[in-house]
Amino acid sequence: MRIIPAILLMLVSWVALADVLLADRVVVNKTERRLYLMQKDQVLKSYKIALGLIPEGHKVREGDFRTPEGDYLLTRRVIDSDFFMSIMVSYPNPADYTNARKLGVSPGGNIMIHGQPNQPKKTASYYANYDWTDGCIAVSNKAMTEIWQLTTVDTPVSILP
């Protein structure tokens, strides 16, 4: 009977530890090419990122190869994408829709934080050193595994210029 309290104590300790280690928000700094997992204004982890082929400026329309800027949420986890794990970002938000409507264009969508391509067409060095996505935020596969483990659905994401 003593085993059950020990197991419960371990589970409670693990849950408390998980709460401490989970990011309460993600900050992407496009200029620095860094993604930060944050908790209470402290950096838990920092990762090098690649952005859309045209990284400067906010995404305005589908096909502009820009990575959005603004405040979003992590929404859905996708295992079977073209990339090693991916987490959807809630782009477009209402302001993005309004802006696109004013311009008479589609805002696009399908923006993710993801790992490397499952079927690469370029060298590993290319993916590690250049902006290459259609507008997503790409990280190494190791980084993607950690981001997956340290975030939850509805984690806020701020994408800064």
Side-chain angles (χ1 to χ4, degrees):
M1 292 309 237
R2 296 177 111 172
I3 292 175
I4 292 174
I7 291 172
L8 285 174
L9 181 60
M10 286 187 333
L11 284 173
V12 168
S13 297
W14 182 83
V15 168
L17 183 61
D19 285 343
V20 169
L21 295 178
L22 283 178
D24 58 18
R25 70 188 166 101
V26 175
V27 175
V28 174
N29 187 308
K30 290 171 56 174
T31 302
E32 294 176 3
R33 299 299 193 275
R34 302 296 296 179
L35 180 149
Y36 301 96
L37 295 182
M38 307 293 294
Q39 187 189 66
K40 297 181 178 151
D41 296 322
Q42 298 295 315
V43 175
L44 291 176
K45 296 274 190 168
S46 172
Y47 306 99
K48 182 179 178 183
I49 61 170
L51 299 169
L53 290 168
I54 304 173
E56 290 81 23
H58 176 55
K59 183 166 195 62
V60 174
R61 63 175 177 78
E62 185 173 15
D64 65 8
F65 296 104
R66 289 193 168 105
T67 301
E69 297 171 359
D71 295 319
Y72 303 95
L73 296 172
L74 297 182
T75 58
R76 185 170 59 92
R77 294 164 183 267
V78 182
I79 300 260
D80 59 347
S81 75
D82 292 336
F83 305 95
F84 177 81
M85 304 170 103
S86 60
I87 303 174
M88 299 298 295
V89 174
S90 65
Y91 175 87
N93 64 23
D96 297 319
Y97 275 117
T98 299
N99 187 48
R101 206 172 305 122
K102 284 180 188 174
L103 297 171
V105 298
S106 167
N110 217 22
I111 299 298
M112 303 175 267
I113 299 171
H114 61 67
Q116 302 300 294
N118 291 328
Q119 297 182 348
K121 294 180 173 89
K122 307 262 184 187
T123 66
S125 175
Y126 175 84
Y127 292 116
N129 294 299
Y130 296 96
D131 291 318
W132 55 270
T133 76
D134 289 347
C136 293
I137 300 153
V139 296
S140 70
N141 291 351
K142 180 179 186 266
M144 192 62 224
T145 300
E146 290 180 3
I147 294 165
W148 188 282
Q149 292 172 339
L150 296 173
T151 62
T152 61
V153 169
D154 292 333
T155 299
V157 181
S158 294
I159 305 174
L160 308 174

